[in-house]
Protein backbone atom coordinates (compact mmCIF):
# COMPACT_ATOMS: atom_id res chain seq x y z
CA UNK A 1 0.00 0.00 0.00
CA UNK A 2 1.18 3.49 -0.75
CA UNK A 3 2.18 5.60 2.20
CA UNK A 4 0.13 8.64 3.06
CA UNK A 5 1.77 11.90 2.15
CA UNK A 6 3.01 14.95 3.97
CA UNK A 7 3.76 18.30 2.39
CA UNK A 8 5.10 21.35 4.13
CA UNK A 9 7.15 24.28 3.09
CA UNK A 10 8.89 27.47 4.07
CA UNK A 11 9.61 30.76 2.42
CA UNK A 12 13.35 31.14 1.89
CA UNK A 13 13.63 34.66 3.26
CA UNK A 14 16.02 34.06 6.14
CA UNK A 15 17.34 31.42 8.49
CA UNK A 16 14.84 29.08 10.13
CA UNK A 17 14.53 29.48 13.89
CA UNK A 18 13.42 27.53 16.95
CA UNK A 19 9.82 28.63 16.38
CA UNK A 20 9.90 26.85 13.02
CA UNK A 21 11.45 23.83 14.68
CA UNK A 22 8.79 23.53 17.37
CA UNK A 23 5.90 24.39 15.05
CA UNK A 24 6.70 22.16 12.13
CA UNK A 25 10.28 20.98 11.50
CA UNK A 26 10.29 18.52 14.38
CA UNK A 27 7.11 16.89 13.13
CA UNK A 28 8.50 16.55 9.64
CA UNK A 29 11.58 14.80 10.97
CA UNK A 30 9.56 12.56 13.29
CA UNK A 31 7.11 11.54 10.55
CA UNK A 32 9.41 11.24 7.54
CA UNK A 33 9.62 7.45 7.79
CA UNK A 34 5.93 6.92 8.36
CA UNK A 35 4.71 9.24 5.59
CA UNK A 36 6.04 9.98 2.16
CA UNK A 37 7.33 13.45 2.92
CA UNK A 38 7.77 16.42 0.60
CA UNK A 39 9.48 19.54 1.87
CA UNK A 40 9.03 22.53 -0.37
CA UNK A 41 11.27 25.57 -0.50
CA UNK A 42 8.63 28.10 -1.49
CA UNK A 43 10.70 30.64 -3.40
CA UNK A 44 7.82 31.88 -5.55
CA UNK A 45 5.78 32.52 -2.42
CA UNK A 46 8.83 34.27 -0.90
CA UNK A 47 8.89 36.59 -3.90
CA UNK A 48 5.26 37.64 -3.32
CA UNK A 49 6.48 39.90 -0.53
CA UNK A 50 10.13 40.20 -1.61
CA UNK A 51 9.84 40.77 -5.33
CA UNK A 52 12.11 43.79 -4.97
CA UNK A 53 14.86 41.71 -3.41
CA UNK A 54 15.41 38.59 -5.51
CA UNK A 55 18.97 38.21 -4.16
CA UNK A 56 17.62 37.64 -0.68
CA UNK A 57 15.37 34.82 -1.84
CA UNK A 58 18.09 33.32 -4.01
CA UNK A 59 20.63 33.31 -1.16
CA UNK A 60 18.25 31.75 1.29
CA UNK A 61 17.32 28.73 -0.82
CA UNK A 62 20.62 27.09 0.13
CA UNK A 63 20.40 28.35 3.73
CA UNK A 64 16.95 26.84 4.23
CA UNK A 65 18.08 23.59 2.62
CA UNK A 66 20.99 23.49 5.08
CA UNK A 67 18.59 24.12 7.96
CA UNK A 68 16.43 21.20 6.80
CA UNK A 69 19.44 18.90 6.63
CA UNK A 70 20.67 20.20 9.99
CA UNK A 71 17.43 19.35 11.81
CA UNK A 72 17.52 15.85 10.37
CA UNK A 73 15.40 15.82 7.23
CA UNK A 74 16.92 12.80 5.52
CA UNK A 75 17.19 13.25 1.76
CA UNK A 76 17.22 9.46 1.39
CA UNK A 77 13.64 9.22 2.60
CA UNK A 78 12.18 12.71 2.23
CA UNK A 79 11.94 14.79 -0.93
CA UNK A 80 13.32 18.31 -0.70
CA UNK A 81 12.24 20.41 -3.65
CA UNK A 82 12.10 23.96 -5.01
CA UNK A 83 8.76 25.54 -5.88
CA UNK A 84 9.86 27.65 -8.87
CA UNK A 85 11.29 24.58 -10.60
CA UNK A 86 7.93 22.79 -10.44
CA UNK A 87 5.86 24.64 -13.06
CA UNK A 88 3.00 22.20 -12.42
CA UNK A 89 2.35 24.15 -9.20
CA UNK A 90 1.97 27.38 -11.18
CA UNK A 91 -0.36 25.59 -13.57
CA UNK A 92 -2.57 24.32 -10.76
CA UNK A 93 -2.64 27.82 -9.25
CA UNK A 94 -4.13 29.24 -12.44
CA UNK A 95 -6.68 26.44 -12.65
CA UNK A 96 -7.81 27.05 -9.05
CA UNK A 97 -8.17 30.83 -9.45
CA UNK A 98 -11.77 30.42 -10.67
CA UNK A 99 -12.75 28.60 -7.51
CA UNK A 100 -11.89 31.35 -5.06
CA UNK A 101 -13.57 34.71 -4.57
CA UNK A 102 -11.76 37.91 -3.78
CA UNK A 103 -13.95 38.28 -0.69
CA UNK A 104 -12.95 34.88 0.64
CA UNK A 105 -9.24 35.67 0.22
CA UNK A 106 -9.56 38.98 1.97
CA UNK A 107 -11.19 37.35 4.99
CA UNK A 108 -8.17 35.13 5.62
CA UNK A 109 -6.86 36.30 9.03
CA UNK A 110 -3.23 35.37 8.33
CA UNK A 111 -3.28 37.23 5.05
CA UNK A 112 -5.03 40.21 6.66
CA UNK A 113 -2.30 40.48 9.30
CA UNK A 114 0.46 40.21 6.77
CA UNK A 115 -1.12 42.87 4.55
CA UNK A 116 -1.11 45.21 7.52
CA UNK A 117 2.42 44.33 8.66
CA UNK A 118 3.96 44.62 5.22
CA UNK A 119 2.30 47.92 4.38
CA UNK A 120 0.27 46.44 1.54
CA UNK A 121 -3.00 47.93 2.82
CA UNK A 122 -3.05 50.79 0.33
CA UNK A 123 -1.75 48.99 -2.69
CA UNK A 124 -2.03 45.24 -2.67
CA UNK A 125 -0.06 43.20 -5.21
CA UNK A 126 -2.32 40.56 -6.74
CA UNK A 127 0.47 38.02 -6.34
CA UNK A 128 0.37 38.51 -2.59
CA UNK A 129 -3.43 38.47 -2.38
CA UNK A 130 -3.51 35.16 -4.22
CA UNK A 131 -0.62 33.38 -2.52
CA UNK A 132 -3.03 31.23 -0.48
CA UNK A 133 -4.24 29.78 -3.80
CA UNK A 134 -0.67 29.05 -4.79
CA UNK A 135 -0.16 27.41 -1.40
CA UNK A 136 -3.24 25.24 -2.06
CA UNK A 137 -1.50 24.23 -5.28
CA UNK A 138 1.66 23.34 -3.31
CA UNK A 139 -0.31 21.03 -1.07
CA UNK A 140 -2.60 19.44 -3.64
CA UNK A 141 0.13 18.98 -6.26
CA UNK A 142 1.41 16.18 -4.02
CA UNK A 143 -2.04 15.01 -2.94
CA UNK A 144 -0.87 15.53 0.63
CA UNK A 145 -2.97 14.04 3.40
CA UNK A 146 -1.27 15.86 6.22
CA UNK A 147 0.30 19.31 6.53
CA UNK A 148 2.34 19.85 9.71
CA UNK A 149 2.19 23.57 10.42
CA UNK A 150 2.17 26.19 13.11
CA UNK A 151 -1.12 27.72 14.22
CA UNK A 152 -0.73 30.77 11.98
CA UNK A 153 -1.02 28.54 8.89
CA UNK A 154 -4.44 27.08 9.78
CA UNK A 155 -6.34 29.57 7.58
CA UNK A 156 -4.17 28.46 4.63
CA UNK A 157 -5.15 24.83 5.16
CA UNK A 158 -8.80 25.86 5.46
CA UNK A 159 -8.51 27.72 2.16
CA UNK A 160 -6.96 24.65 0.57
CA UNK A 161 -9.75 22.42 1.86
CA UNK A 162 -12.34 24.84 0.46
CA UNK A 163 -10.72 24.69 -2.96
CA UNK A 164 -10.50 20.89 -2.85
CA UNK A 165 -14.15 20.53 -1.84
CA UNK A 166 -15.31 22.90 -4.52
CA UNK A 167 -13.13 21.26 -7.16
CA UNK A 168 -14.31 17.76 -6.26
CA UNK A 169 -17.96 18.84 -6.17
CA UNK A 170 -17.76 20.56 -9.55
CA UNK A 171 -15.51 18.23 -11.52
CA UNK A 172 -15.65 14.91 -9.69
CA UNK A 173 -13.51 13.56 -6.90
CA UNK A 174 -9.94 14.22 -7.94
CA UNK A 175 -8.10 15.95 -5.12
CA UNK A 176 -7.22 14.77 -1.61
CA UNK A 177 -8.58 16.90 1.21
CA UNK A 178 -5.60 17.69 3.41
CA UNK A 179 -5.58 18.06 7.15
CA UNK A 180 -3.46 20.35 9.26
CA UNK A 181 -1.29 18.67 11.85
CA UNK A 182 -0.60 20.97 14.78
CA UNK A 183 2.28 20.30 17.11
CA UNK A 184 1.98 20.11 20.88
CA UNK A 185 3.69 23.51 20.98
CA UNK A 186 1.89 25.37 18.20
CA UNK A 187 3.65 28.58 19.04
CA UNK A 188 6.98 29.40 20.65
CA UNK A 189 7.14 32.89 22.17
CA UNK A 190 9.89 35.30 21.19
CA UNK A 191 12.96 35.93 23.35
CA UNK A 192 11.29 39.25 24.16
CA UNK A 193 8.25 37.50 25.64
CA UNK A 194 6.00 38.43 22.70
CA UNK A 195 3.47 35.80 21.73
CA UNK A 196 5.32 34.69 18.64
CA UNK A 197 8.90 34.15 17.58
CA UNK A 198 9.26 35.88 14.23
CA UNK A 199 12.11 36.90 12.01
CA UNK A 200 10.68 40.36 11.39
CA UNK A 201 10.19 40.85 15.13
CA UNK A 202 13.91 40.41 15.88
CA UNK A 203 13.19 38.01 18.74
CA UNK A 204 14.42 34.73 17.32
CA UNK A 205 17.04 32.11 18.06
CA UNK A 206 18.12 30.63 14.75
CA UNK A 207 18.89 26.99 14.18
CA UNK A 208 22.20 28.16 12.70
CA UNK A 209 23.15 30.49 15.59
CA UNK A 210 26.55 29.62 17.09
CA UNK A 211 26.75 28.74 20.78
CA UNK A 212 27.99 32.17 21.92
CA UNK A 213 25.13 33.91 20.09
CA UNK A 214 22.61 31.57 21.71
CA UNK A 215 24.10 32.32 25.13
CA UNK A 216 23.96 36.06 24.49
CA UNK A 217 20.36 35.95 23.27
CA UNK A 218 19.27 33.81 26.20
CA UNK A 219 20.96 36.09 28.75
CA UNK A 220 18.96 39.00 27.30
CA UNK A 221 15.66 37.15 27.41
CA UNK A 222 12.54 38.55 28.93
CA UNK A 223 11.55 36.69 32.10
CA UNK A 224 9.24 37.74 34.90
CA UNK A 225 8.91 41.53 35.01
CA UNK A 226 7.43 41.44 38.54
CA UNK A 227 10.55 39.88 39.99
CA UNK A 228 13.13 42.32 41.35
CA UNK A 229 15.48 39.99 43.25
CA UNK A 230 16.43 36.34 43.03
CA UNK A 231 14.76 35.77 46.41
CA UNK A 232 11.36 37.07 45.19
CA UNK A 233 8.95 34.29 44.28
CA UNK A 234 8.96 34.17 40.47
CA UNK A 235 6.30 33.40 37.88
CA UNK A 236 6.81 30.45 35.58
CA UNK A 237 3.66 30.84 33.54
CA UNK A 238 4.08 33.20 30.61
CA UNK A 239 7.83 33.20 31.25
CA UNK A 240 9.47 32.32 27.94
CA UNK A 241 12.59 30.91 29.63
CA UNK A 242 10.46 28.13 31.06
CA UNK A 243 8.46 27.66 27.87
CA UNK A 244 11.76 27.04 26.07
CA UNK A 245 12.90 24.66 28.80
CA UNK A 246 9.62 22.75 28.42
CA UNK A 247 10.13 22.57 24.69
CA UNK A 248 13.81 21.64 24.59
CA UNK A 249 14.83 19.93 27.83
CA UNK A 250 13.97 16.24 27.53
CA UNK A 251 14.56 15.84 31.28
CA UNK A 252 11.22 17.06 32.52
CA UNK A 253 12.11 16.37 36.14
CA UNK A 254 15.00 18.83 35.96
CA UNK A 255 12.63 21.43 34.51
CA UNK A 256 10.08 20.82 37.28
CA UNK A 257 12.84 21.27 39.87
CA UNK A 258 13.95 24.58 38.32
CA UNK A 259 10.35 25.78 38.20
CA UNK A 260 9.82 24.92 41.86
CA UNK A 261 12.98 26.75 42.92
CA UNK A 262 12.03 29.75 40.81
CA UNK A 263 8.58 29.94 42.34
CA UNK A 264 10.07 29.69 45.82
CA UNK A 265 12.63 32.41 45.15
CA UNK A 266 15.53 30.01 45.50
CA UNK A 267 17.14 30.53 42.15
CA UNK A 268 17.98 33.67 40.21
CA UNK A 269 17.19 34.61 36.63
CA UNK A 270 20.84 34.38 35.62
CA UNK A 271 21.16 30.78 36.82
CA UNK A 272 17.97 29.72 35.05
CA UNK A 273 19.10 31.39 31.86
CA UNK A 274 22.49 29.69 32.05
CA UNK A 275 20.69 26.38 32.41
CA UNK A 276 18.55 27.18 29.36
CA UNK A 277 21.53 28.23 27.22
CA UNK A 278 23.18 24.92 28.06
CA UNK A 279 20.04 22.96 27.15
CA UNK A 280 19.65 24.80 23.85
CA UNK A 281 23.29 24.42 22.91
CA UNK A 282 23.21 20.74 23.75
CA UNK A 283 20.18 20.40 21.50
CA UNK A 284 21.77 22.44 18.72
CA UNK A 285 25.26 20.89 18.77
CA UNK A 286 24.47 17.84 16.61
CA UNK A 287 22.46 20.08 14.26
CA UNK A 288 25.46 22.38 13.90
CA UNK A 289 27.70 19.44 13.11
CA UNK A 290 25.37 18.18 10.38
CA UNK A 291 24.96 21.68 8.96
CA UNK A 292 28.72 22.20 8.78
CA UNK A 293 29.31 18.94 6.95
CA UNK A 294 26.78 19.85 4.26
CA UNK A 295 27.81 23.51 4.14
CA UNK A 296 31.32 22.46 3.15
CA UNK A 297 29.88 21.14 -0.09
CA UNK A 298 27.06 23.40 -1.29
CA UNK A 299 27.09 21.75 -4.70
CA UNK A 300 26.05 18.45 -3.14
CA UNK A 301 23.16 20.23 -1.41
CA UNK A 302 22.02 21.80 -4.68
CA UNK A 303 22.18 18.34 -6.21
CA UNK A 304 19.93 16.96 -3.48
CA UNK A 305 17.46 19.76 -4.28
CA UNK A 306 17.66 19.12 -8.01
CA UNK A 307 17.03 15.40 -7.65
CA UNK A 308 14.23 15.98 -5.18
CA UNK A 309 12.66 18.52 -7.51
CA UNK A 310 12.80 16.12 -10.45
CA UNK A 311 10.91 13.49 -8.49
CA UNK A 312 8.48 16.09 -7.14
CA UNK A 313 7.72 17.17 -10.71
CA UNK A 314 6.75 13.63 -11.67
CA UNK A 315 4.30 13.46 -8.79
CA UNK A 316 2.90 16.92 -9.51
CA UNK A 317 2.57 16.06 -13.19
CA UNK A 318 0.22 13.19 -12.33
CA UNK A 319 -1.96 15.56 -10.37
CA UNK A 320 -2.05 18.10 -13.18
CA UNK A 321 -3.11 15.36 -15.61
CA UNK A 322 -5.93 14.26 -13.34
CA UNK A 323 -7.02 17.86 -12.77
CA UNK A 324 -7.02 18.67 -16.49
CA UNK A 325 -8.95 15.51 -17.28
CA UNK A 326 -11.54 16.40 -14.65
CA UNK A 327 -11.80 19.95 -16.01
CA UNK A 328 -12.18 18.60 -19.55
CA UNK A 329 -9.16 20.44 -20.89
CA UNK A 330 -7.06 17.41 -21.60
CA UNK A 331 -7.30 16.80 -25.35
CA UNK A 332 -4.55 14.26 -26.03
N1 LIG B 1 3.16 29.96 4.06
C1 LIG B 1 4.17 29.20 4.71
C2 LIG B 1 4.95 30.14 5.64
O1 LIG B 1 4.91 31.35 5.48
C3 LIG B 1 5.15 28.54 3.77
C4 LIG B 1 4.51 27.55 2.82
C5 LIG B 1 4.52 27.64 1.46
C6 LIG B 1 3.80 26.36 3.16
N2 LIG B 1 3.87 26.58 0.93
C7 LIG B 1 3.42 25.77 1.92
C8 LIG B 1 3.45 25.74 4.37
C9 LIG B 1 2.67 24.59 1.88
C10 LIG B 1 2.71 24.56 4.31
C11 LIG B 1 2.33 24.00 3.08
O2 LIG B 1 5.60 29.65 6.54
Amino acid sequence: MNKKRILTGDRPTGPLHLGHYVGSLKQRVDLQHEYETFVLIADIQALTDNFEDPDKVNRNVLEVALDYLAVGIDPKVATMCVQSAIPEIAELTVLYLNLVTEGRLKQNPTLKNEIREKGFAKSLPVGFLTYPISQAADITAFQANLVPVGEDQLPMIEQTRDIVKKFNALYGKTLVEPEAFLSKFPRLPGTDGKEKMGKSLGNVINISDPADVVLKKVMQMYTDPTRKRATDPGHVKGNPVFTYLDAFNPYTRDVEELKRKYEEGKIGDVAVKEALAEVLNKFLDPLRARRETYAENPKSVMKILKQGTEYAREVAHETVSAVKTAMKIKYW
Side-chain angles (χ1 to χ4, degrees):
M1 208 187 81
N2 284 340
K3 280 183 180 174
K4 288 197 169 180
R5 288 189 180 146
I6 277 183
L7 175 287
T8 41
D10 300 277
R11 293 182 198 172
T13 53
L16 300 181
H17 52 66
L18 295 182
H20 292 118
Y21 183 81
V22 164
S24 162
L25 295 173
K26 181 179 189 312
Q27 303 179 72
R28 302 179 202 181
V29 174
D30 289 348
L31 297 172
Q32 64 184 338
H33 295 281
E34 199 180 323
Y35 287 79
E36 184 177 15
T37 298
F38 295 85
V39 184
L40 182 76
I41 302 185
D43 57 345
I44 301 250
Q45 187 178 117
L47 283 169
T48 64
D49 61 328
N50 290 279
F51 52 87
E52 286 156 331
D53 196 355
D55 283 333
K56 173 165 130 190
V57 175
N58 180 277
R59 243 190 348 264
N60 281 298
V61 169
L62 178 64
E63 291 305 313
V64 166
L66 286 171
D67 283 339
Y68 287 159
L69 294 162
V71 297
I73 302 272
D74 178 357
K76 287 202 199 70
V77 296
T79 302
M80 293 174 28
C81 53
V82 181
Q83 192 184 30
S84 62
I86 309 171
E88 289 77 9
I89 293 176
E91 200 171 350
L92 289 174
T93 305
V94 171
L95 297 174
Y96 297 160
L97 285 172
N98 302 327
L99 308 180
V100 184
T101 64
E102 184 197 359
R104 170 71 175 85
L105 282 173
K106 286 187 169 161
Q107 279 161 20
N108 183 318
T110 302
L111 196 78
K112 260 194 192 165
N113 266 338
E114 285 179 299
I115 289 172
R116 203 171 354 95
E117 281 169 19
K118 295 175 201 297
F120 282 155
K122 275 219 179 82
S123 149
L124 177 60
V126 174
F128 193 77
L129 173 67
T130 55
Y131 96 70
I133 306 178
S134 153
Q135 188 159 331
D138 297 342
I139 296 168
T140 55
F142 302 100
Q143 299 279 30
N145 307 86
L146 217 55
V147 190
V149 281
E151 237 173 14
D152 62 311
Q153 291 294 307
L154 289 179
M156 300 300 159
I157 315 301
E158 267 321 298
Q159 177 72 77
T160 305
R161 291 166 60 88
D162 281 4
I163 291 172
V164 168
K165 281 185 207 150
K166 193 150 183 189
F167 188 101
N168 289 345
L170 277 172
Y171 305 120
K173 192 167 173 358
T174 312
L175 298 171
V176 171
E177 217 177 293
E179 269 175 56
F181 188 57
L182 273 187
S183 73
K184 200 164 52 144
F185 274 97
R187 191 164 269 190
L188 200 68
T191 51
D192 56 359
K194 293 229 173 73
E195 202 186 345
K196 196 184 160 188
M197 186 178 274
K199 193 171 35 219
S200 55
L201 305 169
N203 61 6
V204 305
I205 294 176
N206 293 320
I207 285 162
S208 53
D209 279 346
D212 57 330
V213 173
V214 170
L215 178 65
K216 193 166 149 233
K217 287 182 176 175
V218 169
M219 294 320 277
Q220 288 168 355
M221 269 177 81
Y222 171 97
T223 54
D224 173 2
T226 66
R227 201 174 193 229
K228 298 279 180 297
R229 296 173 206 87
T231 49
D232 293 347
H235 294 90
V236 161
K237 226 180 143 222
N239 186 332
V241 172
F242 287 97
T243 312
Y244 289 15
L245 281 169
D246 280 334
F248 290 99
N249 192 343
Y251 305 102
T252 48
R253 253 199 246 152
D254 291 358
V255 180
E256 292 316 309
E257 172 85 9
L258 279 177
K259 285 182 181 170
R260 194 179 50 73
K261 284 189 180 161
Y262 196 79
E263 283 171 339
E264 289 173 0
K266 289 187 176 145
I267 189 169
D269 273 19
V270 172
V272 181
K273 285 176 171 177
E274 280 168 354
L276 173 61
E278 202 183 312
V279 163
L280 290 181
N281 280 328
K282 211 180 213 167
F283 164 75
L284 288 169
D285 270 339
L287 279 65
R288 290 180 182 122
R290 265 199 299 269
R291 194 177 212 285
E292 253 167 54
T293 310
Y294 281 109
E296 277 168 15
N297 194 350
K299 274 203 186 125
S300 75
V301 178
M302 293 315 282
K303 194 167 161 208
I304 289 172
L305 289 184
K306 185 160 182 273
Q307 285 172 345
T309 302
E310 276 161 13
Y311 173 62
R313 273 200 80 175
E314 285 173 26
V315 175
H317 179 75
E318 279 181 33
T319 307
V320 168
S321 284
V323 160
K324 288 177 90 171
T325 302
M327 292 180 80
K328 304 199 186 297
I329 51 171
K330 189 149 175 64
Y331 305 105
W332 43 79

